[in-house]
Amino acid sequence: GNFKFYADNHVLKSEHTSTTLSEKETKALKIFADNVNQIVEREKLMKEIWEDEGIVVISRNVDVLVSKLRKKLSDDESLKFINVHGKGYKFIIE
């Protein structure tokens, strides 16, 4: 896509903008970037983003996090998060 992702700095850059990501947004985007065009299960996201730190959350937290990423990546129409009903999400780069 049009973005460069700097996970170590929690930054997403495009040609004209630089956007700071939260720690959780960075973790989620890294998981999705490592699994492009593959289904990432909700349970995996919940475990790696929250539960590994001892925080128990509901699956709605995943939806909110993906919604935030969608907004931050909305300038690039080639990047999409597809909801896979009953499973999780798929990050697609067209």
Side-chain angles (χ1 to χ4, degrees):
N2 297 329
F3 286 97
K4 289 189 187 214
F5 176 44
Y6 301 94
D8 293 341
N9 299 329
H10 305 287
V11 173
L12 194 60
K13 289 187 178 183
S14 68
E15 190 177 337
H16 303 292
T17 62
S18 179
T19 304
T20 302
L21 300 175
S22 71
E23 185 177 331
K24 291 181 183 358
E25 290 167 339
T26 300
K27 283 182 181 181
L29 190 53
K30 184 162 178 15
I31 292 167
F32 283 117
D34 290 342
N35 296 281
V36 172
N37 298 325
Q38 299 175 46
I39 296 172
V40 178
E41 294 181 356
R42 268 175 201 284
E43 290 74 23
K44 175 181 175 77
L45 293 165
M46 289 168 58
K47 180 184 181 324
E48 292 187 23
I49 297 169
W50 289 280
E51 292 172 11
D52 284 354
E53 295 180 6
I55 301 167
V56 178
V57 295
I58 59 173
S59 65
R60 180 75 184 129
N61 291 65
V62 173
D63 300 332
V64 171
L65 190 59
V66 170
S67 176
K68 288 179 181 179
L69 287 174
R70 278 183 174 139
K71 284 180 187 163
K72 291 188 176 183
L73 293 167
S74 64
D75 289 345
D76 188 341
E77 293 179 11
S78 70
L79 303 175
K80 293 185 171 53
F81 289 95
I82 306 297
N83 185 5
V84 181
H85 186 72
K87 297 234 183 239
Y89 289 92
K90 189 186 285 193
F91 181 55
I92 296 174
I93 302 173
E94 296 177 336

